[in-house]
Protein backbone atom coordinates (compact mmCIF):
# COMPACT_ATOMS: atom_id res chain seq x y z
CA UNK A 1 0.00 0.00 0.00
CA UNK A 2 2.81 2.41 0.91
CA UNK A 3 4.59 1.54 -2.33
CA UNK A 4 1.49 2.42 -4.37
CA UNK A 5 1.08 5.67 -2.44
CA UNK A 6 4.73 6.45 -3.11
CA UNK A 7 4.33 5.76 -6.82
CA UNK A 8 1.24 7.95 -6.94
CA UNK A 9 3.02 10.74 -5.09
CA UNK A 10 6.00 10.45 -7.43
CA UNK A 11 3.69 10.77 -10.45
CA UNK A 12 2.06 13.88 -8.95
CA UNK A 13 5.45 15.43 -8.20
CA UNK A 14 6.82 14.63 -11.66
CA UNK A 15 3.75 16.27 -13.23
CA UNK A 16 4.42 19.37 -11.11
CA UNK A 17 8.03 19.38 -12.29
CA UNK A 18 6.91 19.23 -15.91
CA UNK A 19 4.67 22.26 -15.37
CA UNK A 20 7.46 24.12 -13.55
CA UNK A 21 9.94 23.37 -16.33
CA UNK A 22 7.45 24.57 -18.95
CA UNK A 23 6.88 27.81 -17.00
CA UNK A 24 10.64 28.36 -16.72
CA UNK A 25 11.02 27.83 -20.47
CA UNK A 26 8.15 30.26 -21.10
CA UNK A 27 9.79 32.93 -18.95
CA UNK A 28 13.16 32.35 -20.63
CA UNK A 29 11.56 32.86 -24.05
CA UNK A 30 9.98 36.16 -22.94
CA UNK A 31 13.06 37.44 -21.14
CA UNK A 32 14.84 39.30 -23.99
CA UNK A 33 11.77 41.27 -25.02
CA UNK A 34 10.91 42.17 -21.44
CA UNK A 35 14.46 43.31 -20.74
CA UNK A 36 14.37 45.54 -23.84
CA UNK A 37 11.05 47.02 -22.76
CA UNK A 38 12.38 47.60 -19.26
CA UNK A 39 15.42 49.43 -20.65
CA UNK A 40 13.24 51.60 -22.90
CA UNK A 41 10.91 52.45 -20.04
CA UNK A 42 13.81 53.42 -17.79
CA UNK A 43 15.41 55.52 -20.51
CA UNK A 44 12.16 57.41 -21.12
CA UNK A 45 11.66 58.07 -17.42
CA UNK A 46 15.21 59.26 -16.91
CA UNK A 47 15.09 61.56 -19.94
CA UNK A 48 11.76 62.96 -18.73
CA UNK A 49 13.27 63.56 -15.29
CA UNK A 50 16.49 65.18 -16.52
CA UNK A 51 15.22 67.10 -19.52
CA UNK A 52 17.68 68.26 -22.16
CA UNK A 53 20.47 68.87 -19.62
CA UNK A 54 21.97 65.43 -19.15
CA UNK A 55 25.01 63.36 -19.95
CA UNK A 56 23.71 60.71 -22.34
CA UNK A 57 26.64 58.35 -21.70
CA UNK A 58 26.13 58.53 -17.93
CA UNK A 59 22.41 57.98 -18.42
CA UNK A 60 23.06 54.87 -20.53
CA UNK A 61 25.46 53.55 -17.87
CA UNK A 62 22.79 53.98 -15.19
CA UNK A 63 20.15 52.31 -17.35
CA UNK A 64 22.52 49.42 -18.06
CA UNK A 65 23.07 48.98 -14.32
CA UNK A 66 19.36 48.95 -13.61
CA UNK A 67 18.70 46.52 -16.44
CA UNK A 68 21.48 44.26 -15.15
CA UNK A 69 19.87 44.36 -11.70
CA UNK A 70 16.58 43.26 -13.24
CA UNK A 71 18.19 40.34 -15.12
CA UNK A 72 16.44 37.06 -14.28
CA UNK A 73 18.81 34.67 -16.05
CA UNK A 74 20.39 33.48 -12.78
CA UNK A 75 16.99 32.72 -11.28
CA UNK A 76 16.02 30.75 -14.38
CA UNK A 77 19.29 28.80 -14.32
CA UNK A 78 18.85 27.96 -10.64
CA UNK A 79 15.26 26.84 -11.23
CA UNK A 80 16.42 24.47 -13.99
CA UNK A 81 19.12 23.12 -11.67
CA UNK A 82 16.68 22.64 -8.78
CA UNK A 83 14.18 20.87 -11.04
CA UNK A 84 16.91 18.53 -12.28
CA UNK A 85 18.10 17.79 -8.75
CA UNK A 86 14.51 17.16 -7.64
CA UNK A 87 14.08 14.63 -10.45
CA UNK A 88 17.33 12.91 -9.46
CA UNK A 89 16.14 12.58 -5.87
CA UNK A 90 12.81 11.14 -6.99
CA UNK A 91 14.63 8.58 -9.13
CA UNK A 92 17.03 7.69 -6.32
CA UNK A 93 14.13 6.96 -3.97
CA UNK A 94 14.48 6.30 -0.28
CA UNK A 95 13.89 8.86 2.41
CA UNK A 96 14.26 12.09 0.47
CA UNK A 97 11.34 14.09 1.89
CA UNK A 98 13.42 16.69 3.73
CA UNK A 99 15.70 17.22 0.73
CA UNK A 100 12.70 17.62 -1.58
CA UNK A 101 11.10 20.06 0.84
CA UNK A 102 14.31 22.09 0.97
CA UNK A 103 14.55 22.18 -2.84
CA UNK A 104 10.95 23.37 -3.03
CA UNK A 105 11.77 26.17 -0.58
CA UNK A 106 14.66 27.19 -2.83
CA UNK A 107 12.42 27.07 -5.92
CA UNK A 108 9.91 29.28 -4.12
CA UNK A 109 12.66 31.81 -3.37
CA UNK A 110 13.71 31.85 -7.02
CA UNK A 111 10.10 32.35 -8.14
CA UNK A 112 9.71 35.23 -5.65
CA UNK A 113 12.89 36.90 -6.88
CA UNK A 114 11.82 36.45 -10.49
CA UNK A 115 8.47 38.08 -9.71
CA UNK A 116 10.05 40.99 -7.84
CA UNK A 117 12.49 41.70 -10.68
CA UNK A 118 9.85 41.65 -13.43
CA UNK A 119 6.94 43.36 -11.70
CA UNK A 120 5.56 46.48 -13.31
CA UNK A 121 7.26 46.05 -16.67
CA UNK A 122 4.00 45.61 -18.56
CA UNK A 123 3.59 43.99 -21.95
CA UNK A 124 5.14 40.51 -21.93
CA UNK A 125 6.18 41.16 -18.33
CA UNK A 126 2.57 40.50 -17.40
CA UNK A 127 2.89 37.03 -18.91
CA UNK A 128 6.04 36.45 -16.86
CA UNK A 129 4.07 37.42 -13.77
CA UNK A 130 1.39 34.88 -14.69
CA UNK A 131 4.02 32.17 -15.22
CA UNK A 132 5.77 33.08 -11.97
CA UNK A 133 2.52 32.84 -10.03
CA UNK A 134 1.79 29.49 -11.68
CA UNK A 135 5.27 28.34 -10.59
CA UNK A 136 4.53 29.36 -7.02
CA UNK A 137 1.19 27.51 -7.08
CA UNK A 138 2.82 24.32 -8.36
CA UNK A 139 5.63 24.61 -5.85
CA UNK A 140 3.15 25.02 -3.00
CA UNK A 141 1.11 22.01 -4.16
CA UNK A 142 4.30 19.93 -4.38
CA UNK A 143 5.35 21.07 -0.89
CA UNK A 144 2.03 19.95 0.52
CA UNK A 145 2.47 16.54 -1.10
CA UNK A 146 6.06 16.17 0.11
CA UNK A 147 5.16 17.21 3.65
CA UNK A 148 2.29 14.72 3.72
CA UNK A 149 4.72 11.99 2.71
CA UNK A 150 7.29 12.73 5.40
Amino acid sequence: MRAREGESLEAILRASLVRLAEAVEGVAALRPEVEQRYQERLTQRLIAATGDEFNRQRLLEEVAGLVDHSDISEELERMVTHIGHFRELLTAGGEVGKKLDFLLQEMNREANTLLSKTGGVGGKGTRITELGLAMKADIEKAREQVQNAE
Side-chain angles (χ1 to χ4, degrees):
M1 179 105 145
R2 286 187 73 183
R4 279 197 315 243
E5 284 181 20
E7 290 170 2
S8 177
L9 176 59
E10 182 179 349
I12 290 168
L13 292 172
R14 286 192 184 278
S16 290
L17 291 174
V18 167
R19 288 189 302 274
L20 281 169
E22 289 171 351
V24 169
E25 289 172 9
V27 170
L30 296 170
R31 186 179 134 240
E33 186 176 330
V34 169
E35 287 177 352
Q36 178 65 33
R37 182 166 166 77
Y38 185 69
Q39 183 176 6
E40 290 168 1
R41 192 177 111 216
L42 285 173
T43 302
Q44 290 170 356
R45 283 185 171 178
L46 289 170
I47 289 172
T50 59
D52 293 334
E53 300 292 322
F54 70 95
N55 177 331
R56 183 157 182 78
Q57 182 60 37
R58 179 72 180 140
L59 178 65
L60 291 174
E61 290 170 6
E62 290 295 324
V63 168
L66 290 169
V67 168
D68 186 50
H69 179 70
S70 69
D71 182 23
I72 57 172
S73 60
E74 288 181 28
E75 287 74 20
L76 295 174
E77 289 172 18
R78 283 193 291 267
M79 283 293 282
V80 169
T81 301
H82 293 326
I83 291 168
H85 190 199
F86 198 100
R87 285 183 172 135
E88 290 171 8
L89 289 171
L90 283 178
T91 301
E95 294 184 20
V96 294
K98 289 187 189 288
K99 292 178 183 178
L100 295 177
D101 188 49
F102 176 76
L103 277 174
L104 289 165
Q105 287 177 23
E106 293 300 308
M107 287 182 204
N108 194 48
R109 283 190 190 104
E110 300 303 338
N112 282 336
T113 303
L114 182 141
L115 285 166
S116 70
K117 286 185 171 185
T118 57
V121 176
K124 301 277 174 129
T126 304
R127 179 67 183 135
I128 289 179
T129 299
E130 292 169 4
L131 291 168
L133 292 173
M135 283 182 212
K136 288 182 61 66
D138 278 323
I139 291 165
E140 186 56 36
K141 288 176 192 172
R143 283 193 76 191
E144 289 172 8
Q145 293 297 324
V146 167
Q147 289 172 352
N148 287 337
E150 286 188 284

